[in-house]
């Protein structure tokens, strides 16, 4: 029986990993991104997504346990995003029992996040970065999930 213990442990790990991955439901968000020049070396990035399967996207410009709900980073350190994002879509307030029933603004059907970025130096032909967003539903919570993009 002892020789089968590693096999059971492996099956338990794989089974647990699969349920964790399916709980995150990567099909819940289908992000698109577009860029628009505002002025010399200043651009607007617009991220949009439909939200499926009852998930809720936590609106930007909020802190949960001192962690931002949305972050934007770039491969090139000469590119910086304003720290305040604009929002698009219909939001609502929810209380979350995970965080002592604190109130948070969320989006349930579709959402947009708009960022102004400034580029020092040469403007790249393709802007490569990562949008990190926070989402959940009921007692499930996934902070700063990465969406890599090129625009």
């Amino acid at each position: 029986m002892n020789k089968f213990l590693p096999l059971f442990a492996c099956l338990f790990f794989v089974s647990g990993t699969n349920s964790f991955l399916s709980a995150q439901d990567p099909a819940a968000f289908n992000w698109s991104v577009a860029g628009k020049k505002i002025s010399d070396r200043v651009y607007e990035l617009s991220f949009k997504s439909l939200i499926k399967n009852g998930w809720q996207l936590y609106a930007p410009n909020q802190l949960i346990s001192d962690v931002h709900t949305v972050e934007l980073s770039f491969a090139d350190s000469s590119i910086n995003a304003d720290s305040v994002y604009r929002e698009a879509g219909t939001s609502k307030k929810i209380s979350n029992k995970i965080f002592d029933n604190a109130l948070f603004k969320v989006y349930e059907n579709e959402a947009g996040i708009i960022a102004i970025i400034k580029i020092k130096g040469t403007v790249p032909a393709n802007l490569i970065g990562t949008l990190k967003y926070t989402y959940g539903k009921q007692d499930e919570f996934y902070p700063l999930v990465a969406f890599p993009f090129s625009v």
Side-chain angles (χ1 to χ4, degrees), residues 121-140:
T122 305
V123 175
N126 285 318
L127 184 64
I128 298 170
T130 303
L131 172 71
K132 292 182 181 176
Y133 61 96
T134 300
Y135 74 102
K137 68 178 165 182
Q138 298 164 351
D139 61 350
E140 294 183 60

Side-chain angles (χ1 to χ4, degrees), residues 32-36 44-48 151:
S32 65
V33 60
K36 177 172 79 170
E44 178 182 272
L45 292 181
S46 298
F47 298 89
K48 293 181 183 177
V151 64

Side-chain angles (χ1 to χ4, degrees), residues 18-105:
N18 285 341
S19 65
F20 175 74
L21 292 174
S22 66
Q24 288 188 35
D25 195 357
F29 297 90
N30 187 15
W31 289 102
S32 65
V33 60
K36 177 172 79 170
K37 185 175 183 175
I38 302 295
S39 64
D40 187 41
R41 299 174 204 244
V42 178
Y43 291 80
E44 178 182 272
L45 292 181
S46 298
F47 298 89
K48 293 181 183 177
S49 182
L50 295 176
I51 304 167
K52 304 174 194 165
N53 301 331
W55 291 104
Q56 297 170 317
L57 176 72
Y58 283 73
N61 310 313
Q62 300 181 98
L63 289 174
I64 300 176
S65 298
D66 293 328
V67 175
H68 291 277
T69 52
V70 171
E71 293 180 356
L72 192 55
S73 61
F74 300 94
D76 184 341
S77 63
S78 70
I79 303 168
N80 295 304
D82 285 350
S83 60
V84 175
Y85 304 100
R86 290 193 336 255
E87 305 169 35
T90 303
S91 65
K92 75 178 208 176
K93 293 270 188 175
I94 63 160
S95 65
N96 190 320
K97 65 183 177 181
I98 298 173
F99 302 105
D100 295 327
N101 291 317
L103 289 175
F104 297 101
K105 187 168 146 180

